Amino acid sequence: MAADVRNREVSRDALAALLSTALTGSGKPVVEVFGYKPRTLSGRGPYVLVLAAGTRRAKKAIGSVKRKNHFRLLIVTLVLDASADDSWTPQQVDDTLDLVDKEIADTIADNERTNDWHNLDLDDEFSVIAPTKEFGANYMSESRIALVEVHDA
């Protein structure tokens, strides 16, 4: 029997779609969610990027070609830094990062097991908040790892 392991892209796209539904739209905190690093961003944001960050594959059983696939997906929140926009205060930047972090955590907790994965969770490590220059502008970013487990069919 030929192997047919799961493609990480499917999980990355599914997580990006899930976060887009939960975080964007009227009254929600995020302007746009991307399942990749876009070429440009415009405006204050916030934006969320879901990026590939590694794979581990383990056999499901001795002699089996089927695998348990473990994908690390990097979730990055970008909020335009207050120094780049006079109508935007440092407190608003931090409050926005805090709100988006909470909404991401709630969404992942509410969707731990779906048809798209056997398990979804956030890594036990702390997220990292840092200033960054992306797309020609200064942003505050928060990066966290989501861990996705999917089994071969």
Side-chain angles (χ1 to χ4, degrees):
M1 173 184 228
D4 185 21
V5 297
R6 295 293 296 264
N7 185 341
R8 182 177 58 218
E9 176 190 2
V10 175
S11 295
R12 181 173 43 84
D13 290 347
L15 182 56
L18 174 69
L19 292 174
S20 182
T21 299
L23 301 174
T24 64
S26 180
K28 296 184 179 177
V30 172
V31 171
E32 192 166 358
V33 175
F34 296 91
Y36 55 91
K37 185 174 181 180
R39 289 188 176 145
T40 62
L41 294 176
S42 60
R44 175 184 305 166
Y47 302 98
V48 171
L49 286 56
V50 179
L51 309 171
T55 298
R56 179 172 52 90
R57 301 182 193 272
K59 287 186 179 180
K60 284 180 81 169
I62 294 174
S64 174
V65 295
K66 294 181 187 259
R67 302 275 193 254
K68 289 183 186 178
N69 304 284
H70 302 267
F71 303 136
R72 288 171 44 103
L73 299 175
L74 178 64
I75 303 171
V76 180
T77 302
L78 295 171
V79 178
L80 193 63
D81 190 68
S83 64
D85 183 342
D86 290 338
S87 66
W88 193 232
T89 69
Q91 182 178 351
Q92 288 172 307
V93 171
D94 282 352
D95 291 350
T96 300
L97 283 172
D98 292 343
L99 177 59
V100 174
D101 175 64
K102 179 209 181 312
E103 295 296 328
I104 289 171
D106 285 348
T107 301
I108 288 177
D110 290 342
N111 292 277
E112 183 179 311
R113 187 177 178 99
T114 71
N115 291 334
D116 294 310
W117 39 69
H118 288 84
N119 190 48
L120 171 66
D121 205 352
L122 291 171
D123 191 7
D124 289 339
E125 297 297 318
F126 281 94
S127 64
V128 176
I129 298 174
T132 185
K133 186 160 184 121
E134 294 282 346
F135 312 103
N138 293 322
Y139 286 90
M140 285 301 292
S141 71
E142 183 167 12
S143 301
R144 68 199 53 76
I145 295 289
L147 303 172
V148 181
E149 180 183 335
V150 293
H151 300 181
D152 292 344

